[in-house]
Amino acid sequence: PQATSHKPQHTKNTAATATMGKKDKKNKDPEKKAALAAKKEAKADKAALKRLQKEQDRLNSLSIQDSDRDDGNQKQPQEESLDSILESFRQRTKELETAVLEPIDTPFPSPPRGNFTFTLCPTNGLFYMFGGEYYDGSENLVFDELLRWNPDAKTDNDDEEKANENKRDNTDNSNVENYDTGKWTRILTPAPTPPPRCAHSAVFHNDGIYIFGGEMATAEKYHHYKDLWRLDVKKNTWEECKSRGGSPPVARSGHRAVVWRHYMIMFGGFQEELRADTRWFNDVHIFDFQTNIWCELKYNKLARLPPARSACNMTVCADALFIYGGYSKLKNANAPGANKSEGITHIDCWMLPLKQLIKSNKSGPLSGANPPSWERITRKGEYPSHRAGTSAALHKNKLLVFGGVLDSEGDQHKVESVFYDDLFALDMEKRRWFAMRLKNGSGGGRRRKKKDYQDETKVENNGGNESDNSEEEEEVPQNDAEAISSGWDLDKLRQDMFAFIDGNGNIVYEKIEDDNGEDDSNKIGEEEKTKDSSNLFADVATEDVATAASKAVTQEKKQSISDTKNVDKIDASAVMQVDSKGLPSTVTRQTPLPRINCAVSVKGNTLYIYGGVVEVGDREVTLDDCWSIDLNKRDKWTCIWPGMMHKQVWKGVDDDDSYISSDQGGDDDENSLDEDFELDPIHEDDAEKMTEEERKKAKKAVKKAKEKEKRRGVRHEITELKEKLGVDNAQRTPQMGESVAEFYARTTEYWSVEAAKSAGVAACDSGERLSTKELAREGFLLAKKRYEELKPVLQRLDELEAMQQEGAEEKQKKKDKKKSSKKDRR
């Protein structure tokens, strides 16, 4: 399998080609150029997987060390390097004439990934997984790995002991044998093969899986594909399907595709370019599997069409195409400041009749006829709340929709997200929504037999077969209304997914606010931490960068351990817990977690849900758990695999102050922080051996640590000034921009009382009382004295708060830049 970092893959359909100078540009043979590009890409791929392997080796090493401390066992050799595995696969692939199938070493694919395709092959009952991406907070890995899953496979007796051992190595549950994970197989295919990608489409037709488009995600831009490939599921070989005519769609991602008769119908998607605005699509393209010809449905400007979008749910039922939901952005020219794009969560549902696309068996799509008209379907029944990123599958005449997220933009463009874990069904014959709750759970509406239910809406019968006459019950809502879905907001996500592992192998905890809205971490020794680190970077300019980086890491480690000693940490939740070794572990759950963009598929009467993504603030968790539910019984969810999210590494923690890091192992002893604790410095000889990349990382570590110390110092100074002078009292504190007269006019009553108190004491001493004018004069003098006293303090506070605001906005811009493109696919 190939994993690649942020580097575009150039194919025949992509015009971009790097030039190496005028001579190469004019004379270099195209084949040599392609070979050179492939060599560079292979090198980048190897580097990306090497970083991934280092991360895994670190976790393995830490787990072994903890085991040594507890059990006294000797260290076990580390697993085979991903580099060597990758090289072995490449060499074998070059020599392959036929495909090779081999079982994977873990119960489910690792590392986890999102935005892959998960396609059921009805002829053999197997699921095929291709592509996807994995983001760890630092870089995005994009895959071209082809995997096959048999959910019904049973482990052979000879392999049962080995399989259980593998499961124990990859989960913390003692009853791992109870998980029927089926059998995963890696398929090594001979060349040619499609490049790595994610957010593509995949459909099955006539013993073949067709994938179209998708993207190679990079740090700066998106590279979109417009190629079409076919996987022969019998021979396990790829071939690129070249168009023989018509109007192929432009490159895109986030589109949707379905099969109707011998056609593939594609709708929507988006395309983002470096020097152009993002384009959103609502076009319909049709590919004829028999002729390899594309056709686009052309509509006039007055036609009523679904708005452009990506990541919608789409299916075909009874010769009609249905789309629901999706996500897009609209440029708002009237917004204050620079023009910005606003996210739009689509909740509409549309239907396109397909019969009139075909005039006769011999003619192709449309064959000169006008395209069919779109019809918008009114929402009826108990329909989902506003959300994007839902996943859907077809079961009989119903479109099953799971999960999703609602993003709400608050102050300073801060996005608050609520993730959902509920299941809905759209009956496409009755055109009515139903909430698919568990039957043994509490229902929101009355129940009655499906055969007794008469819908008010009359629809044309397009020749579809009625669903079976089983005694299956549907929950019938009493009124047409949006379903009540509480969802998981940021507070709940942080409390339930409270810990993770950072890039240094430390356990990191979410900062949880108390009932008063105060951060518990603010109660610990902020002043002492500032004192200890005030001179940390005084001589950075004159000392070796590597040594400075070592000092920075040392100080951060001291403060991390100090932080976790003084803050009450959550030890367990409904999602995870901290085990006896101080490491995060799973908790047995009864239902799937909320998520977006998961794989959803139906085999027989069983619905499968696999993977997806959930965001805990700025932390992106790629899920790899798998669940199933019997759609006839609908009495419980079955966990096929609990997933490994608790072992994932998130490297984006350094850019956020929302976390508290602890030393690996989590020793709570007061003496655990040794006064002489210090990391070994990097000597000059070692610094000379550092690569350019390592030097850059060292400089970056110093810069980040300096910025963090600066932010801590600003916060400490603001708190100190406010507490010392009591500026939180509005009656005693001038507002920014107020003159002395304005300050006194606003607070006259307060200063009159203060003057009266002072005059009362003076009157007792002298026996004389002040007149009203004299009291007013004394009040004004008191206000003026307070004004002059606080003027420099307020100016300094204003400067500090401006610095704090500027830093927060800059940090938010960086985060938004990383996340905005990913949200486009919701």
Side-chain angles (χ1 to χ4, degrees), residues 599-614:
V600 175
S601 188
V602 174
K603 180 182 178 182
N605 289 314
T606 301
L607 171 68
Y608 292 92
I609 292 177
Y610 172 41
V613 172
V614 63

Side-chain angles (χ1 to χ4, degrees), residues 752-768:
S752 297
V753 172
E754 292 296 313
K757 291 180 181 178
S758 177
V761 174
C764 292
D765 295 337
S766 62
E768 298 181 359

Side-chain angles (χ1 to χ4, degrees), residues 494 509-512 519 618 656-660 815:
R494 280 183 167 168
Y509 295 86
E510 295 279 351
K511 285 186 179 179
I512 308 299
D519 195 333
D618 295 314
D656 204 311
D657 295 329
S658 302
Y659 310 114
I660 307 170
K815 293 176 182 177

Side-chain angles (χ1 to χ4, degrees), residues 94-122:
K94 291 179 181 178
E95 301 170 359
L96 285 178
E97 295 182 359
T98 58
V100 174
L101 281 67
E102 58 183 26
I104 65 174
D105 298 330
T106 54
F108 265 69
S110 180
R113 60 207 68 182
N115 293 304
F116 56 88
T117 51
F118 193 65
T119 311
L120 174 65
C121 175

Side-chain angles (χ1 to χ4, degrees), residues 202-206 210 256-266 284-290 297 314-322 352-361 363-366 372 394 462-464:
V203 298
F204 176 86
H205 176 73
N206 195 22
Y210 292 80
R256 295 295 181 259
V258 294
V259 170
W260 175 67
R261 300 191 181 184
H262 58 88
Y263 301 102
M264 177 175 69
I265 303 176
M266 195 180 74
V284 179
H285 290 265
I286 301 174
F287 180 77
D288 191 329
F289 292 118
Q290 296 179 348
L297 301 188
M314 187 167 81
T315 191
V316 168
C317 179
D319 290 327
L321 178 72
F322 290 82
L352 181 70
L354 300 176
K355 272 191 173 182
Q356 71 180 85
L357 288 173
I358 306 301
K359 304 300 292 184
S360 68
N361 292 333
S363 58
L366 294 182
L394 177 66
N462 289 323

Side-chain angles (χ1 to χ4, degrees), residues 219-386:
E220 302 297 332
K221 65 175 183 178
Y222 282 101
H223 172 71
H224 298 268
Y225 292 107
K226 59 178 180 180
D227 50 351
L228 177 65
W229 291 79
R230 179 183 185 271
L231 172 69
D232 189 317
V233 296
K234 290 185 176 180
K235 299 179 181 179
N236 290 315
T237 57
W238 288 100
E239 65 172 333
E240 187 172 2
C241 302
K242 300 293 186 180
S243 175
R244 296 179 182 175
S247 53
V250 299
R252 65 187 69 196
S253 351
H255 55 282
R256 295 295 181 259
V258 294
V259 170
W260 175 67
R261 300 191 181 184
H262 58 88
Y263 301 102
M264 177 175 69
I265 303 176
M266 195 180 74
F267 171 82
F270 77 99
Q271 182 188 76
E272 184 173 359
E273 299 177 359
L274 183 61
R275 294 180 178 85
D277 294 334
T278 301
R279 299 171 58 194
W280 304 84
F281 302 106
N282 63 346
D283 49 357
V284 179
H285 290 265
I286 301 174
F287 180 77
D288 191 329
F289 292 118
Q290 296 179 348
T291 62
N292 280 20
I293 294 177
W294 284 96
C295 173
E296 180 182 0
L297 301 188
K298 298 289 188 179
Y299 291 91
N300 61 49
K301 294 182 179 180
L302 299 178
R304 191 185 185 200
L305 305 175
R309 67 193 70 193
S310 70
C312 64
N313 304 135
M314 187 167 81
T315 191
V316 168
C317 179
D319 290 327
L321 178 72
F322 290 82
I323 68 166
Y324 161 73
Y327 183 84
S328 65
K329 288 184 177 179
L330 178 66
K331 195 167 186 179
N332 185 1
N334 297 323
N339 291 347
K340 63 185 181 71
S341 296
E342 296 179 347
I344 301 175
T345 299
H346 298 276
I347 59 172
D348 49 351
C349 184
W350 296 76
M351 188 272 291
L352 181 70
L354 300 176
K355 272 191 173 182
Q356 71 180 85
L357 288 173
I358 306 301
K359 304 300 292 184
S360 68
N361 292 333
K362 295 182 180 180
S363 58
L366 294 182
S367 60
N370 292 325
S373 299
W374 285 94
E375 176 188 350
R376 180 165 180 170
I377 298 176
T378 304
R379 293 197 299 171
K380 292 185 177 181
E382 192 174 10
Y383 43 84
S385 58
H386 284 56

Side-chain angles (χ1 to χ4, degrees), residues 451-683:
K451 61 184 180 180
D452 295 333
Y453 176 61
Q454 298 294 328
D455 192 273
E456 303 88 357
T457 306
K458 303 298 182 181
V459 298
E460 180 181 1
N461 188 346
N462 289 323
N465 295 326
E466 293 290 336
S467 55
D468 58 48
N469 294 322
S470 66
E471 293 299 312
E472 176 186 356
E473 293 182 352
E474 288 180 347
E475 187 173 302
V476 181
Q478 297 178 0
N479 299 300
D480 296 337
E482 182 179 285
I484 300 176
S485 301
S486 57
W488 291 37
D489 60 11
L490 180 58
D491 290 339
K492 182 171 177 57
L493 286 168
R494 280 183 167 168
Q495 291 176 5
D496 282 351
M497 306 178 75
F498 57 86
F500 60 96
I501 302 172
D502 68 4
N504 296 319
N506 298 323
I507 305 302
V508 180
Y509 295 86
E510 295 279 351
K511 285 186 179 179
I512 308 299
E513 293 185 349
D514 59 19
D515 294 338
N516 296 324
E518 297 180 355
D519 195 333
D520 289 341
S521 61
N522 291 334
K523 301 175 183 178
I524 62 180
E526 193 77 41
E527 182 176 353
E528 294 181 4
K529 291 191 297 182
T530 305
K531 279 183 183 178
D532 294 340
S533 57
S534 58
N535 298 320
L536 180 61
F537 300 102
D539 300 323
V540 167
T542 58
E543 66 181 346
D544 182 76
V545 173
T547 304
S550 178
K551 287 185 177 181
V553 174
T554 300
Q555 185 64 29
E556 284 298 312
K557 198 147 185 91
K558 287 182 179 180
Q559 292 172 357
S560 296
I561 299 174
S562 178
D563 284 352
T564 54
K565 286 171 57 183
N566 291 279
V567 177
D568 294 331
K569 302 187 295 291
I570 300 175
D571 293 323
S573 71
V575 176
M576 63 196 313
Q577 63 185 0
V578 176
D579 62 16
S580 59
K581 301 175 184 178
L583 298 172
S585 61
T586 56
V587 170
T588 302
R589 289 184 51 78
Q590 303 300 319
T591 58
L593 288 170
R595 65 196 69 201
I596 58 173
N597 299 336
C598 59
V600 175
S601 188
V602 174
K603 180 182 178 182
N605 289 314
T606 301
L607 171 68
Y608 292 92
I609 292 177
Y610 172 41
V613 172
V614 63
E615 297 166 359
V616 185
D618 295 314
R619 177 164 60 100
E620 185 173 300
V621 181
T622 304
L623 303 175
D624 62 341
D625 55 341
C626 186
W627 297 77
S628 69
I629 185 171
D630 187 318
L631 294 172
N632 284 340
K633 297 179 180 178
R634 217 167 76 233
D635 56 345
K636 66 176 182 178
W637 284 95
T638 299
C639 181
I640 298 174
W641 176 242
M644 302 297 295
M645 69 171 186
H646 57 288
K647 288 191 175 182
Q648 287 181 31
V649 172
W650 179 253
K651 297 180 180 179
V653 65
D654 291 337
D655 295 329
D656 204 311
D657 295 329
S658 302
Y659 310 114
I660 307 170
S661 178
S662 74
D663 182 38
Q664 180 69 25
D667 191 355
D668 291 332
D669 193 340
E670 292 183 0
N671 299 323
S672 61
L673 182 59
D674 195 319
E675 294 297 331
D676 297 327
F677 170 79
E678 187 171 347
L679 295 178
D680 293 334
I682 303 176
H683 300 289

